[in-house]
Amino acid sequence: MPSAKEIKDRISSVRDTQKITNAMYLIASTKMRKAKADLDRTMPYFSALRGEIKRIFRTVGNIDSQYFFPEGSQEDLPGACGYLVITADKGLAGAYNQNAIREAQRLMDQHDDNKLFVVGEYGRQYFSSRGVPIEQSFLYTAQNPTLQRSRDICYQLLDRYRAGELVKIFVVYTDFSGLASTARSVRLLPFHHAHFASASSEKRVKVPFGFSPSVETVLDSIIPSYVTGFIYSALVDSFCSEQNERMKAMDAAGKNAQELLDDLTIQSNHMRQGAITQELTEISAGALGQRRRQERQTEGGNML
């Protein structure tokens, strides 16, 4: 059974741990709010880009572009598939990293020719330790995603796509909805024409636009910016999901620490109460023995 000093030291250690978990909870909360605010400020631009692409399709109709599946083609195009997998730089975030990696493995099992692109130290270490070749690892941190990093990732992936090294590009990230985070995979390229199809309530453009030098050239200049916005959104969603899962993990750890503190406090109180009871018993026994000794001495004096 642990001694009173050992229990006291354990209580002190658990309280220090609880302070750390509370601090990590607050830091994760602050980072998540900041990243979400940055995304909210930039997404209107990319939403406008999507609207312009839809206007192009409402004006011209069928367009032959390297970024789109040809009309009537099947999705099982021959060639290598690229996978951009977004993970965190560290753990302590529940099942956030494991879910993203599991989704990436599920997707790669469906294809034979895979090229892996990883963001986040956790994913790099995981795939490297299991001998899974990584085509390219983006060595900057997954923390605090920026538009410039998203643009850099986009251009490197698009260079390989235009060169024919990749026929499809998938993004594996964690979607943040505020209450729950879900690992998901999305085919980034090529697009289907239906992806930008106009809703039935939208009217076709009556006065055609002019495109210079051609509609294909205009579309080819817009798509990279749109892809950059999608990657940025995936990075921010993943980052917010990571912080959200870390908040949950730290909250659970704080509650467990409090339960442990309660149990240790009860043990400490019982032990202290036992020690007090033992002292009172010894004092009472000593007083009783002293009184009996005095009584025997008094009786002996009376007999004389």
Side-chain angles (χ1 to χ4, degrees), residues 170-227:
F170 294 86
V171 179
V172 179
Y173 70 105
T174 307
D175 187 27
F176 176 70
S177 62
L179 297 177
S181 300
T182 306
R184 58 177 302 194
S185 55
V186 176
R187 189 190 67 244
L188 184 58
L189 288 172
F191 295 109
H192 270 302
H193 287 79
H195 184 76
F196 296 99
S198 301
S200 58
S201 60
E202 295 180 353
K203 298 180 179 179
R204 294 187 61 86
V205 177
K206 296 181 179 180
V207 180
F209 294 98
F211 300 96
S212 178
S214 66
V215 63
E216 288 79 12
T217 303
V218 173
L219 191 61
D220 288 349
S221 66
I222 295 178
I223 289 295
S225 295
Y226 179 77
V227 172

Side-chain angles (χ1 to χ4, degrees), residues 98-126:
Q98 290 78 8
N99 290 339
I101 290 173
R102 191 179 300 113
E103 176 65 18
Q105 290 178 325
R106 182 195 66 81
L107 197 62
M108 289 189 294
D109 289 341
Q110 300 176 3
H111 303 87
D112 297 328
D113 192 357
N114 301 314
K115 294 184 182 297
L116 189 61
F117 303 84
V118 181
V119 174
E121 185 62 28
Y122 193 100
R124 287 192 287 268
Q125 294 294 335
Y126 178 89

Side-chain angles (χ1 to χ4, degrees), residues 5-297:
K5 184 179 183 303
E6 290 175 341
I7 294 178
K8 184 178 180 180
D9 292 342
R10 185 73 185 281
I11 290 176
S12 177
S13 176
V14 173
R15 283 176 177 167
D16 290 341
T17 302
Q18 194 177 39
K19 292 178 182 178
I20 295 174
T21 58
N22 290 338
M24 293 182 67
Y25 178 92
L26 295 175
I27 292 172
S29 175
T30 301
K31 288 183 176 180
M32 183 181 68
R33 287 197 300 269
K34 181 179 181 299
K36 199 64 178 174
D38 291 341
L39 179 64
D40 292 340
R41 285 194 295 267
T42 56
M43 284 312 295
Y45 169 73
F46 298 106
S47 297
L49 280 181
R50 179 182 174 86
E52 292 304 313
I53 297 174
K54 293 178 68 175
R55 290 177 65 186
I56 292 175
F57 277 93
R58 292 202 306 271
T59 303
V60 180
N62 295 332
I63 301 174
D64 184 16
S65 173
Q66 60 182 332
Y67 299 114
F68 289 81
F69 279 109
E71 287 291 340
S73 66
Q74 300 296 324
E75 292 191 14
D76 53 346
L77 299 176
C81 295
Y83 303 93
L84 175 63
V85 183
I86 302 174
T87 63
D89 291 324
K90 55 186 177 182
L92 298 177
Y96 166 78
N97 290 297
Q98 290 78 8
N99 290 339
I101 290 173
R102 191 179 300 113
E103 176 65 18
Q105 290 178 325
R106 182 195 66 81
L107 197 62
M108 289 189 294
D109 289 341
Q110 300 176 3
H111 303 87
D112 297 328
D113 192 357
N114 301 314
K115 294 184 182 297
L116 189 61
F117 303 84
V118 181
V119 174
E121 185 62 28
Y122 193 100
R124 287 192 287 268
Q125 294 294 335
Y126 178 89
F127 289 112
S128 298
S129 64
R130 286 159 178 78
V132 179
I134 299 177
E135 186 72 15
Q136 183 171 349
S137 181
F138 300 101
L139 296 180
Y140 44 71
T141 177
Q143 301 291 309
N144 302 322
T146 63
L147 194 57
Q148 180 57 44
R149 292 174 180 174
S150 305
R151 190 175 291 111
D152 179 50
I153 295 174
C154 173
Y155 288 161
Q156 294 189 51
L157 292 176
L158 286 182
D159 286 343
R160 294 172 180 266
Y161 180 80
R162 296 190 190 102
E165 298 178 18
L166 302 174
V167 297
K168 293 181 183 179
I169 299 177
F170 294 86
V171 179
V172 179
Y173 70 105
T174 307
D175 187 27
F176 176 70
S177 62
L179 297 177
S181 300
T182 306
R184 58 177 302 194
S185 55
V186 176
R187 189 190 67 244
L188 184 58
L189 288 172
F191 295 109
H192 270 302
H193 287 79
H195 184 76
F196 296 99
S198 301
S200 58
S201 60
E202 295 180 353
K203 298 180 179 179
R204 294 187 61 86
V205 177
K206 296 181 179 180
V207 180
F209 294 98
F211 300 96
S212 178
S214 66
V215 63
E216 288 79 12
T217 303
V218 173
L219 191 61
D220 288 349
S221 66
I222 295 178
I223 289 295
S225 295
Y226 179 77
V227 172
T228 298
F230 187 92
I231 293 177
Y232 179 59
S233 175
L235 288 173
V236 174
D237 270 344
S238 296
F239 181 71
C240 290
S241 297
E242 175 195 351
Q243 303 309 318
N244 185 53
E245 292 300 317
R246 182 164 291 116
M247 289 170 59
K248 292 180 181 179
M250 293 302 103
D251 182 60
K255 291 179 179 178
N256 291 336
Q258 187 58 51
E259 292 178 359
L260 185 57
L261 280 176
D262 294 340
D263 293 339
L264 291 173
T265 301
I266 291 175
Q267 293 182 30
S268 177
N269 292 339
H270 286 172
M271 187 167 292
R272 185 171 64 252
Q273 187 62 41
I276 294 174
T277 303
Q278 180 67 25
E279 291 179 2
L280 291 176
T281 302
E282 293 175 355
I283 292 173
S284 299
L288 180 60
Q290 181 70 19
R291 186 168 59 254
R292 289 179 178 177
R293 186 165 52 250
Q294 290 177 355
E295 290 175 354
R296 286 196 296 269
Q297 290 175 356

